[in-house]
Amino acid sequence: MPDLNLILLGPPGSGKGTQGERLQEDLELPYYATGDILRAAVKAGTEVGLAAREYMDRGDLVPDEVIIGVIADQLEEAGADRGFILDGFPRTVPQAEALDAELTKLGRQLEAVILIEVSDEEIIRRITGRRVCSEGGHIYHLDFNRPETDGICDIDGSELIVRDDDRPEVVRNRLEQYHEKTSPLVSYYEKQALLNRVDGTADPDQVAESIRSLISTLSLEEG
Ligand code: AMP
């Protein structure tokens, strides 16, 4: 079977992180979530973190050259793995072009782009209930996915917090950025016959099931 190189695409709050974590477990592939990588860089005070912080706080995208370097390093490190899952990258057409060039350089190609579709209204409702763990970034929701103990991560016991960029005014900006800069990737990947749409309004188990069956179809097609 060829490498399973996958992209999760969708607006903020569409469930990419939740589905990415599940896929990572199911497929045992390296999982690169650029939002998580950048938040870790901000926390550690690295050069990338310092460059990214002000953009993230406003809900703007960080400049392409910052994030492209980060992801290229990760993919080169992944080396001989059987594939990868990208979540939150690419987010602009220049990023997608840079990814294509990097994969060509590595002699690899994308297998599928999975677009998780959710309306803006539903996203705002979801994000205001979202809580993340302060250590490992594990994701919970006050309505859909409560932790066993309020305010505490089931996995590592750390405190659950509201991400700065999950505040309502920042969420509205993130959605604007998505429509303006990221949604052109839908036709970009449609043209390459890589785009697969999944209804992201279903509950997380159903969404996971749709993604699983889609991936098994891909694997069958590839023989
Ligand atoms: P996320 O957790 O994926 O919603 O990302 C949080 C924030 O990180 C975004 O609002 C951006 O500021 C930044 N970010 C993450 N991935 C990218 C990317 N591919 N390009 C530019 N900015 C990004």
Side-chain angles (χ1 to χ4, degrees):
M1 204 174 97
D3 289 359
L4 203 48
N5 299 324
L6 304 171
I7 291 178
L8 291 175
L9 187 65
S14 56
K16 299 190 299 295
T18 304
Q19 297 302 330
E21 279 177 16
R22 292 185 187 210
L23 272 181
Q24 178 187 22
E25 280 173 23
D26 283 0
L27 302 171
E28 295 178 6
L29 291 177
Y31 167 59
Y32 304 117
T34 43
D36 291 347
I37 294 170
L38 289 172
R39 277 184 291 279
V42 168
K43 210 168 164 188
T46 65
E47 206 177 311
V48 166
L50 291 175
R53 178 170 206 149
E54 57 175 306
Y55 297 95
M56 295 175 77
D57 284 348
R58 287 196 301 265
D60 287 338
L61 295 185
V62 308
D64 287 336
E65 58 275 17
V66 173
I67 194 71
I68 286 169
V70 169
I71 216 71
D73 288 348
Q74 299 274 354
L75 293 180
E76 284 172 27
E77 251 174 53
D81 279 309
R82 290 175 302 114
F84 57 75
I85 305 161
L86 286 179
D87 161 359
F89 184 91
R91 259 177 156 103
T92 63
V93 171
Q95 289 180 19
E97 289 168 348
L99 177 64
D100 286 345
E102 179 65 24
L103 291 175
T104 304
K105 187 174 119 190
L106 298 172
R108 308 176 76 153
Q109 60 181 34
L110 289 172
E111 201 70 30
V113 176
I114 300 168
L115 172 65
I116 306 183
E117 295 184 293
V118 180
S119 71
D120 285 7
E121 247 174 36
E122 171 69 11
I123 281 163
I124 288 171
R125 193 170 77 85
R126 285 181 180 190
I127 290 187
T128 49
R130 180 152 77 177
R131 299 292 180 272
V132 295
C133 106
S134 45
E135 280 304 317
H138 304 110
I139 304 161
Y140 297 85
H141 195 283
L142 299 184
D143 300 327
F144 316 119
N145 180 23
R146 297 186 69 91
E148 276 171 26
T149 310
D150 281 351
I152 304 289
C153 177
D154 295 345
I155 298 168
D156 59 27
S158 63
E159 187 193 0
L160 300 184
I161 54 171
V162 177
R163 257 167 55 178
D164 281 345
D165 61 352
D166 281 350
R167 286 173 291 129
E169 65 280 16
V170 181
V171 171
R172 271 190 290 278
N173 186 34
R174 289 168 67 202
L175 276 171
E176 273 171 33
Q177 300 276 316
Y178 177 80
H179 290 301
E180 189 186 320
K181 297 183 179 146
T182 308
S183 62
L185 293 181
V186 172
S187 63
Y188 182 91
Y189 287 121
E190 248 167 1
K191 280 188 203 130
Q192 297 186 25
L194 287 171
L195 195 84
N196 296 272
R197 294 168 191 268
V198 167
D199 176 9
T201 52
D203 77 59
D205 289 341
Q206 278 172 284
V207 178
E209 197 41 52
S210 312
I211 295 177
R212 240 179 251 130
S213 64
L214 193 134
I215 289 173
S216 56
T217 317
L218 288 175
S219 310
L220 284 178
E221 279 171 6
E222 295 293 337

